[in-house]
Amino acid sequence: MPSVMPTTFAARHAMSTTTSLKSRTSRVTRVASVQRTETRAKAKAKELAREDARRRGPLEKSNLFSAKYVPFSGDSNETYSLDEVIYRSKSGGLLDVQHDMEALAIYPPEYWKALFDERVGKTTWPYGSGVWSKKEWVLPGIGDEDIVSMFEGNSNLFWAERYGREYLKMSDLWVKQCGNSHTGSFKDLGMTALVSQVNRMRKQGKPLSAVGCASTGDTSAALSAYAAAAGIPSIVFLPADKISVAQLVQPIANGALVLSIDTDFDGCMRLIREVTAELPIYLANSLNSLRLEGQKTAAIEILQQFNWEVPDYVIIPGGNLGNVYAFFKGFSMCKELGLVDRLPRIVVAQAHNANPLYRAYKNGWDTFAPVKAESTFASAIQIGDPVSIDRAIYALTACNGIVEEATEEEMMDAAAEADLTGMFNCPHTGVALAALKKLRAAQVIGPTDRTVVVSTAHGLKFTHSKVAYHEKRLEGLTSKYANPPVQVKEDFGAVMDILAKRLKTT
Amino acid sequence: MPSVMPTTFAARHAMSTTTSLKSRTSRVTRVASVQRTETRAKAKAKELAREDARRRGPLEKSNLFSAKYVPFSGDSNETYSLDEVIYRSKSGGLLDVQHDMEALAIYPPEYWKALFDERVGKTTWPYGSGVWSKKEWVLPGIGDEDIVSMFEGNSNLFWAERYGREYLKMSDLWVKQCGNSHTGSFKDLGMTALVSQVNRMRKQGKPLSAVGCASTGDTSAALSAYAAAAGIPSIVFLPADKISVAQLVQPIANGALVLSIDTDFDGCMRLIREVTAELPIYLANSLNSLRLEGQKTAAIEILQQFNWEVPDYVIIPGGNLGNVYAFFKGFSMCKELGLVDRLPRIVVAQAHNANPLYRAYKNGWDTFAPVKAESTFASAIQIGDPVSIDRAIYALTACNGIVEEATEEEMMDAAAEADLTGMFNCPHTGVALAALKKLRAAQVIGPTDRTVVVSTAHGLKFTHSKVAYHEKRLEGLTSKYANPPVQVKEDFGAVMDILAKRLKTT
């Protein structure tokens, strides 16, 4: 075995690039060589900051930090405590959680980096969680004892080495596996923040008898799991006959009261708003800005996993678009506090069948018009009138973002193609991968651009469409990468023939 | 917010116990108070060991460490290099990977603890993985560049606070969520070790054209995913008409050659043995001892997550029983190298319909006889003649282990009951939970005994039986905890009536 220095993911990648790819460029080499030649003085300073973080302890000065609700539009002086039950500003607009950035800036960037690095994966409650390792940036005022956590985050930033090399001629492609989590989707990141805050408010004596949402998928699963762990009743509103028990088995198993209502989805939304105006049920739907505070930690975690090097592109599937703003906010806070010096370009990937943001982008943000979303395998982003449209346009404008779209065939093929290299992609991740392919073909994304595709859910949540793909049962699709089982009789020779052919050992 | 010291999971638990549970005992309090009153000298020594681990770097002396195959029975002097393709000893018995324990013992326990703690979750390739953070104890001779890793391990040790308190009168109950992983089961832990070793041997020029297994479930999923990431062809042998595409969608998606053979499972096993004798296909089945080296890290990780306090009981679902020995080996190595001072009692939980180990245990290990396994929802442990029977009996004898069983109804009810407190348990985890309930009822496990239930797969891999449970479609079962959706018409009053009743706010 060679005498190997411990190498970072990035350095390992660069080393491999050096030896195996002709297309390596100076930038990639630079990343590695900078890391290798880091001066002793710098290393020493880093070590001192690390020591400092350890000595002081994270919470000693936490009373410095605070956050509050403000209108997202910024056009009024309204502010609200995070302990209030409030979802919208007086004008009916979105809210945003605003942190006291001056207080956070008291600590230098090296301190925050060292603190976050020190906490990752550790058993110190609740700081081992990828969300709560950034607690001072998420919900600084909450007590550790109020937090409801399932050790969320810290998910694999998968180096898509084979997929990049063999299918896209890319050397620096990564897939952030946010679906590798307790309920199988990135919604856990936001729900730990929301349910923890509700837990706190209940302990304060606020009359919140339950949490509720109208959702057909990942949101209801995450909400009901976190609520169940905390002993908070949860309620899910759904249109009757539109949803199967299989789609709902998570909230059902977690003891949510699942109401199957004889109406459509809009009817459910209307009813839950009426009900929550009457009963003390906390509404956990998409406009809730607490959830974004948890979700933004995925962006911070990506930077951390690259040792605070900024990727060039981050591609995110977009439906209601809260996650787009959440990622932007995570990146922005890191830039504002000096942990990094630039923002990545965010790419939002939409299903062609539900592409209002793509259309607005194509007309230069001149106008935005909701669309009627058509059916898509990427069911979680089948949304024609996104709640967070203003948040998303703000984010994309600020980071020179891009919007791309994918047809049903493109998303299913891209997911299946990437699966061949060890992933197991849900259709939403397929949308992001298909967008990547298009931007790569158009040379917008270059062969050595460091690119992160955000996988929002585990493929195990979407086996239905994946099975149909491989059985070639998807109407109008050729299922280019279908890989059905091969039937063979119980005969040594017959088996050997097939194997020899496949393994080309004849 | 109170001024809170960073508390460990254990201390948090103890604190909460102190304030909320009357049943707290001196032992639990002791854990917390020992941690609180740790002397400065001890803390300083720990810090120095930590510094030492960081300064020296993990690999500087790694050429000291080695491992080799020996017969598990220990009754011959045979040894084989891990770079050989060999599955059994000359006498046809099982092999074991034997580490040079004297070399590992050169480093004191505090060094290993600090090293493992330092690596957890970090980006230094491949040491952030829960398996490879213990690389010197797993495959010390492999180069970092040969490792095929998906950042496995580091899974949530979920404090089952509500389930313990409300259903079992237990204050110190934990569920190790091994299924929260890349392919959704604990098999990833072993497969990263096996596929990495195959990857190394292929690079050495060994003519291994593929990896293969006969498996209907989690093993084939893990094998094909890791093989796909490494670009190694994979082959799965299966009995025709016994398995649906849904059960196989993971290997299919990962590009495995799935052979559906017109025979039964035994016929598949026979054919794959014949084929691998003829073709250079590496056999990744259950007797393979490399896989156990990866799996054993789950035990080490549990100790680590308790800050190296040993739990009293660890409950593991058992079929082929390799995992039982793997857990034992992980615990034993920690004891032998002084990281802990005792072993936990391992409890193996079997399905009543496939319970040969339970029967042998009940007759005092006098005799072991294979059984014909009947159908069980816990399909991964539906095994009548376990490959690792000798390994398991050895382990259980050495740690004063216990074997318990669960009927179909008991396992499904236990899984559903625990789901109500925020989990989403597969039937195998249900078997372990049902065993816990019995041992708790029999007062074998006491109210404050620190107990860990090992969850071997994500519930998302077994939604079929969970859906059927909640739809009350399981023949012969009452589905005691079924929670079907409630139908209601689109009417504010009707919805309010149901909610008011459920929330008891009338």
Side-chain angles (χ1 to χ4, degrees), chain A residues 404-464:
Chain A
E404 191 46 89
E405 64 164 4
T407 66
E408 296 302 292
E409 181 146 34
E410 287 166 345
M411 75 178 75
M412 294 305 284
D413 278 347
E417 188 183 65
D419 285 352
L420 292 172
T421 62
M423 293 175 251
F424 191 66
N425 296 298
C426 74
H428 316 86
T429 310
V431 174
L433 291 165
L436 166 64
K437 292 184 74 163
K438 289 183 175 179
L439 294 172
R440 186 67 197 94
Q443 296 290 340
V444 174
I445 296 181
T448 60
D449 287 336
R450 176 167 285 178
T451 304
V452 179
V453 171
V454 176
S455 175
T456 46
H458 202 295
L460 287 170
K461 296 199 87 165
F462 294 86
T463 49
H464 187 74

Coordinates of all heavy atoms in Angstrom, one line a residue, chain A residues 404-464:
Chain A
E404 N -34.1 25.6 -16.1 CA -34.2 24.6 -17.2 C -35.4 23.7 -17.0 O -35.9 23.7 -15.9 CB -32.9 23.8 -17.3 CG -32.6 23.0 -18.5 CD -32.9 23.7 -19.8 OE1 -32.0 24.3 -20.4 OE2 -34.1 23.5 -20.3
E405 N -35.8 23.0 -18.0 CA -37.0 22.1 -17.9 C -36.7 20.8 -18.4 O -35.7 20.6 -19.2 CB -38.2 22.7 -18.5 CG -38.1 22.9 -20.1 CD -39.4 23.1 -20.8 OE1 -40.4 23.3 -20.1 OE2 -39.3 23.2 -22.0
A406 N -37.5 19.8 -18.1 CA -37.3 18.4 -18.6 C -38.7 17.8 -18.9 O -39.6 17.9 -18.1 CB -36.6 17.6 -17.6
T407 N -38.8 17.1 -20.0 CA -40.0 16.4 -20.3 C -40.1 15.1 -19.5 O -39.1 14.7 -18.8 CB -40.0 16.0 -21.8 OG1 -39.0 15.0 -22.0 CG2 -39.9 17.1 -22.7
E408 N -41.2 14.4 -19.5 CA -41.4 13.2 -18.8 C -40.3 12.1 -19.2 O -39.7 11.5 -18.4 CB -42.8 12.6 -19.0 CG -43.9 13.5 -18.5 CD -43.7 13.8 -17.0 OE1 -43.9 12.9 -16.2 OE2 -43.4 15.0 -16.6
E409 N -40.1 12.0 -20.5 CA -39.1 11.1 -21.0 C -37.7 11.4 -20.6 O -36.9 10.6 -20.1 CB -39.2 10.9 -22.5 CG -38.2 9.9 -23.0 CD -38.8 9.2 -24.3 OE1 -39.5 9.8 -25.0 OE2 -38.5 8.0 -24.4
E410 N -37.4 12.7 -20.7 CA -36.1 13.2 -20.3 C -35.8 12.9 -18.8 O -34.7 12.4 -18.5 CB -35.9 14.7 -20.6 CG -35.8 15.0 -22.1 CD -36.0 16.5 -22.4 OE1 -36.5 17.2 -21.6 OE2 -35.7 16.9 -23.6
M411 N -36.8 13.2 -18.0 CA -36.5 13.0 -16.5 C -36.3 11.5 -16.2 O -35.5 11.1 -15.4 CB -37.6 13.6 -15.7 CG -38.9 12.9 -15.6 SD -40.1 13.7 -14.5 CE -40.6 15.1 -15.5
M412 N -37.2 10.7 -16.8 CA -37.1 9.2 -16.4 C -35.9 8.6 -17.0 O -35.3 7.7 -16.4 CB -38.4 8.5 -16.9 CG -39.7 9.0 -16.2 SD -39.7 8.8 -14.4 CE -39.9 7.0 -14.2
D413 N -35.5 9.0 -18.2 CA -34.3 8.5 -18.8 C -33.0 8.9 -18.0 O -32.1 8.2 -17.8 CB -34.1 8.9 -20.3 CG -34.9 8.1 -21.2 OD1 -35.4 7.0 -20.8 OD2 -35.1 8.5 -22.4
A414 N -33.0 10.2 -17.6 CA -31.8 10.7 -16.9 C -31.7 10.0 -15.6 O -30.6 9.6 -15.2 CB -32.0 12.2 -16.7
A415 N -32.8 9.8 -14.9 CA -32.8 9.1 -13.6 C -32.3 7.6 -13.8 O -31.4 7.2 -13.1 CB -34.2 9.0 -13.0
A416 N -32.8 7.0 -14.8 CA -32.4 5.6 -15.1 C -30.9 5.5 -15.5 O -30.2 4.5 -15.2 CB -33.3 5.0 -16.2
E417 N -30.5 6.4 -16.3 CA -29.1 6.4 -16.8 C -28.1 6.6 -15.6 O -27.2 5.8 -15.5 CB -28.9 7.6 -17.8 CG -27.6 7.7 -18.5 CD -27.5 8.9 -19.4 OE1 -27.5 10.0 -18.8 OE2 -27.4 8.7 -20.6
A418 N -28.5 7.5 -14.7 CA -27.6 7.8 -13.6 C -27.6 6.6 -12.6 O -26.6 6.2 -12.0 CB -28.0 9.1 -12.9
D419 N -28.8 5.9 -12.5 CA -28.9 4.7 -11.7 C -27.9 3.7 -12.1 O -27.4 2.9 -11.2 CB -30.3 4.1 -11.8 CG -31.4 4.8 -11.1 OD1 -31.1 5.8 -10.4 OD2 -32.6 4.5 -11.3
L420 N -27.5 3.6 -13.3 CA -26.6 2.6 -13.8 C -25.2 2.8 -13.2 O -24.3 1.9 -13.3 CB -26.5 2.7 -15.4 CG -27.7 2.2 -16.1 CD1 -27.6 2.5 -17.6 CD2 -28.0 0.7 -15.9
T421 N -25.0 3.9 -12.6 CA -23.7 4.2 -12.0 C -23.8 4.2 -10.5 O -22.9 4.8 -9.8 CB -23.1 5.5 -12.5 OG1 -24.0 6.6 -12.1 CG2 -23.0 5.5 -14.0
G422 N -24.8 3.6 -9.9 CA -24.9 3.4 -8.5 C -25.9 4.2 -7.7 O -26.0 4.0 -6.5
M423 N -26.6 5.1 -8.3 CA -27.6 5.9 -7.6 C -28.9 5.1 -7.7 O -29.1 4.1 -8.3 CB -27.7 7.3 -8.2 CG -26.4 8.1 -8.0 SD -26.5 9.7 -8.9 CE -25.3 9.4 -10.2
F424 N -30.0 5.7 -7.1 CA -31.3 5.2 -7.2 C -32.2 6.4 -7.1 O -32.8 6.8 -6.1 CB -31.6 4.2 -6.1 CG -32.9 3.4 -6.3 CD1 -33.0 2.5 -7.3 CD2 -33.9 3.6 -5.4 CE1 -34.2 1.8 -7.5 CE2 -35.1 2.8 -5.5 CZ -35.2 2.0 -6.6
N425 N -32.4 7.1 -8.3 CA -32.9 8.4 -8.3 C -34.4 8.5 -8.4 O -35.0 7.7 -9.1 CB -32.4 9.2 -9.5 CG -30.9 9.3 -9.4 OD1 -30.4 10.0 -8.5 ND2 -30.1 8.7 -10.3
C426 N -35.0 9.4 -7.6 CA -36.4 9.7 -7.7 C -36.6 10.5 -9.0 O -35.7 11.1 -9.5 CB -36.9 10.4 -6.5 SG -36.4 12.1 -6.3
P427 N -37.9 10.6 -9.5 CA -38.1 11.4 -10.7 C -37.7 12.9 -10.6 O -37.3 13.5 -11.6 CB -39.6 11.2 -10.9 CG -40.0 10.0 -10.2 CD -39.1 9.9 -9.0
H428 N -37.8 13.4 -9.4 CA -37.4 14.8 -9.2 C -35.9 15.0 -9.4 O -35.5 16.0 -10.0 CB -37.8 15.3 -7.8 CG -39.2 14.9 -7.4 ND1 -39.4 13.6 -6.9 CD2 -40.4 15.4 -7.6 CE1 -40.7 13.5 -6.7 NE2 -41.3 14.5 -7.2
T429 N -35.2 14.1 -8.9 CA -33.7 14.1 -9.1 C -33.5 13.9 -10.6 O -32.6 14.5 -11.2 CB -33.0 13.0 -8.3 OG1 -33.5 13.1 -6.9 CG2 -31.5 13.1 -8.3
G430 N -34.3 13.1 -11.2 CA -34.3 12.9 -12.7 C -34.4 14.2 -13.4 O -33.7 14.5 -14.4
V431 N -35.3 15.1 -13.0 CA -35.5 16.4 -13.6 C -34.2 17.2 -13.5 O -33.8 17.8 -14.5 CB -36.7 17.1 -12.9 CG1 -36.8 18.6 -13.4 CG2 -38.0 16.4 -13.1
A432 N -33.6 17.2 -12.4 CA -32.4 18.0 -12.2 C -31.3 17.4 -13.0 O -30.5 18.1 -13.6 CB -32.0 17.9 -10.7
L433 N -31.2 16.1 -13.1 CA -30.2 15.4 -14.0 C -30.4 15.7 -15.4 O -29.4 16.0 -16.2 CB -30.1 13.9 -13.7 CG -29.6 13.5 -12.3 CD1 -30.0 12.0 -12.1 CD2 -28.1 13.7 -12.2
A434 N -31.7 15.7 -15.9 CA -32.0 16.1 -17.3 C -31.6 17.5 -17.6 O -31.1 17.8 -18.7 CB -33.5 15.8 -17.5
A435 N -31.8 18.4 -16.6 CA -31.5 19.8 -16.8 C -29.9 19.9 -17.0 O -29.4 20.6 -17.8 CB -31.9 20.6 -15.6
L436 N -29.2 19.2 -16.1 CA -27.8 19.1 -16.2 C -27.3 18.7 -17.6 O -26.4 19.3 -18.2 CB -27.2 18.2 -15.2 CG -25.7 17.8 -15.3 CD1 -24.8 19.0 -15.1 CD2 -25.4 16.7 -14.3
K437 N -27.9 17.6 -18.1 CA -27.5 17.1 -19.4 C -27.7 18.2 -20.5 O -26.9 18.4 -21.4 CB -28.4 15.9 -19.8 CG -28.1 14.7 -18.9 CD -28.8 13.5 -19.4 CE -28.3 12.9 -20.7 NZ -28.7 11.5 -20.9
K438 N -28.8 18.9 -20.4 CA -29.1 20.0 -21.4 C -28.1 21.1 -21.3 O -27.6 21.6 -22.3 CB -30.5 20.6 -21.2 CG -31.6 19.6 -21.7 CD -32.9 20.2 -21.5 CE -34.0 19.3 -22.1 NZ -35.3 19.9 -22.0
L439 N -27.8 21.5 -20.1 CA -26.8 22.6 -19.9 C -25.4 22.2 -20.3 O -24.6 23.0 -20.7 CB -26.9 23.1 -18.4 CG -28.2 23.8 -18.1 CD1 -28.3 24.1 -16.6 CD2 -28.4 25.1 -18.8
R440 N -25.2 20.9 -20.1 CA -23.8 20.4 -20.5 C -23.7 20.3 -22.0 O -22.7 20.8 -22.6 CB -23.7 19.0 -19.8 CG -22.4 18.3 -20.0 CD -21.3 19.0 -19.2 NE -20.0 18.5 -19.7 CZ -19.3 19.1 -20.7 NH1 -19.7 20.3 -21.2 NH2 -18.2 18.6 -21.2
A441 N -24.8 19.9 -22.6 CA -24.8 19.8 -24.1 C -24.7 21.2 -24.7 O -24.0 21.4 -25.7 CB -26.1 19.1 -24.6
A442 N -25.3 22.2 -24.0 CA -25.2 23.6 -24.6 C -23.9 24.2 -24.2 O -23.7 25.4 -24.4 CB -26.4 24.4 -24.0
Q443 N -23.0 23.5 -23.5 CA -21.7 24.1 -23.0 C -21.9 25.2 -22.0 O -20.9 26.0 -21.8 CB -20.8 24.5 -24.2 CG -20.4 23.4 -25.1 CD -19.4 22.4 -24.5 OE1 -18.8 22.8 -23.5 NE2 -19.4 21.2 -25.0
V444 N -23.1 25.3 -21.4 CA -23.2 26.3 -20.4 C -22.4 25.8 -19.2 O -21.6 26.6 -18.6 CB -24.7 26.5 -20.0 CG1 -24.8 27.4 -18.7 CG2 -25.5 27.0 -21.1
I445 N -22.5 24.6 -18.9 CA -21.7 23.9 -17.8 C -20.6 23.2 -18.5 O -20.8 22.4 -19.4 CB -22.6 23.0 -17.0 CG1 -23.7 23.7 -16.2 CG2 -21.7 22.2 -16.0 CD1 -24.5 22.9 -15.3
G446 N -19.4 23.6 -18.1 CA -18.2 23.0 -18.8 C -17.7 21.7 -18.1 O -18.2 21.3 -17.1
P447 N -16.8 21.1 -18.8 CA -16.3 19.7 -18.4 C -15.7 19.7 -17.0 O -15.8 18.6 -16.3 CB -15.3 19.3 -19.4 CG -14.9 20.5 -20.1 CD -16.1 21.5 -20.0
T448 N -15.2 20.8 -16.5 CA -14.5 20.7 -15.2 C -15.2 21.6 -14.2 O -14.7 21.8 -13.1 CB -13.1 21.2 -15.3 OG1 -13.0 22.5 -15.8 CG2 -12.3 20.3 -16.2
D449 N -16.4 22.2 -14.5 CA -17.1 23.0 -13.6 C -17.6 22.1 -12.4 O -18.2 21.0 -12.6 CB -18.3 23.6 -14.3 CG -17.9 24.8 -15.2 OD1 -16.8 25.3 -15.0 OD2 -18.7 25.1 -16.1
R450 N -17.3 22.5 -11.2 CA -17.8 21.8 -10.1 C -19.3 22.0 -9.9 O -19.8 23.1 -9.7 CB -17.1 22.2 -8.8 CG -17.7 21.5 -7.6 CD -16.8 21.7 -6.3 NE -15.6 20.9 -6.4 CZ -14.7 20.8 -5.5 NH1 -14.8 21.6 -4.4 NH2 -13.6 20.0 -5.6
T451 N -20.0 20.9 -10.1 CA -21.5 20.9 -10.2 C -22.1 20.0 -9.2 O -21.7 18.8 -9.0 CB -21.9 20.6 -11.6 OG1 -21.3 21.4 -12.5 CG2 -23.4 20.7 -11.8
V452 N -23.1 20.5 -8.5 CA -23.8 19.7 -7.5 C -25.3 19.5 -7.9 O -26.0 20.5 -8.1 CB -23.8 20.3 -6.1 CG1 -24.6 19.4 -5.1 CG2 -22.3 20.5 -5.6
V453 N -25.8 18.3 -8.0 CA -27.2 18.0 -8.3 C -27.8 17.7 -6.9 O -27.3 16.8 -6.2 CB -27.3 16.9 -9.3 CG1 -28.8 16.4 -9.4 CG2 -26.8 17.3 -10.6
V454 N -28.9 18.4 -6.6 CA -29.5 18.1 -5.3 C -30.6 17.0 -5.5 O -31.6 17.2 -6.3 CB -30.2 19.4 -4.7 CG1 -30.9 19.0 -3.4 CG2 -29.1 20.4 -4.5
S455 N -30.4 15.9 -4.9 CA -31.4 14.8 -4.9 C -32.3 15.0 -3.7 O -31.9 15.0 -2.6 CB -30.7 13.4 -4.8 OG -31.7 12.4 -4.7
T456 N -33.6 15.2 -4.0 CA -34.5 15.7 -2.9 C -35.2 14.5 -2.2 O -35.8 14.8 -1.1 CB -35.6 16.6 -3.5 OG1 -36.1 16.0 -4.7 CG2 -34.9 18.0 -3.9
A457 N -35.3 13.3 -2.8 CA -35.9 12.2 -2.1 C -35.3 10.9 -2.5 O -34.6 10.8 -3.5 CB -37.4 12.2 -2.5
H458 N -35.4 9.9 -1.6 CA -34.9 8.6 -1.9 C -35.8 7.9 -3.0 O -37.0 8.0 -3.0 CB -34.9 7.8 -0.6 CG -34.0 6.6 -0.7 ND1 -34.1 5.6 -1.5 CD2 -32.9 6.4 0.1 CE1 -33.1 4.7 -1.3 NE2 -32.3 5.2 -0.4
G459 N -35.1 7.2 -3.9 CA -35.9 6.5 -5.0 C -36.9 5.5 -4.4 O -37.9 5.2 -5.1
L460 N -36.6 5.0 -3.2 CA -37.6 4.1 -2.6 C -38.9 4.7 -2.4 O -39.9 3.9 -2.2 CB -37.0 3.6 -1.3 CG -35.8 2.6 -1.4 CD1 -35.2 2.3 0.0 CD2 -36.3 1.3 -2.0
K461 N -39.0 6.0 -2.4 CA -40.4 6.6 -2.2 C -41.1 6.6 -3.6 O -42.3 7.0 -3.6 CB -40.2 8.1 -1.7 CG -39.7 8.1 -0.3 CD -40.0 9.4 0.4 CE -41.3 9.4 1.1 NZ -41.5 10.5 2.0
F462 N -40.4 6.3 -4.6 CA -41.0 6.4 -6.0 C -40.8 5.1 -6.8 O -40.5 5.2 -8.0 CB -40.5 7.6 -6.7 CG -40.9 8.9 -6.0 CD1 -40.1 9.5 -5.0 CD2 -42.0 9.6 -6.4 CE1 -40.5 10.6 -4.4 CE2 -42.4 10.7 -5.8 CZ -41.7 11.3 -4.7
T463 N -40.9 4.0 -6.1 CA -40.6 2.7 -6.9 C -41.6 2.5 -7.9 O -41.4 1.8 -8.9 CB -40.5 1.5 -5.9 OG1 -41.6 1.6 -5.1 CG2 -39.3 1.6 -5.1
H464 N -42.9 3.0 -7.7 CA -43.9 2.7 -8.6 C -43.6 3.1 -10.1 O -43.7 2.2 -11.0 CB -45.2 3.5 -8.2 CG -46.4 3.1 -9.0 ND1 -47.1 1.9 -8.8 CD2 -47.1 3.8 -9.9 CE1 -48.1 1.9 -9.6 NE2 -48.1 3.0 -10.3

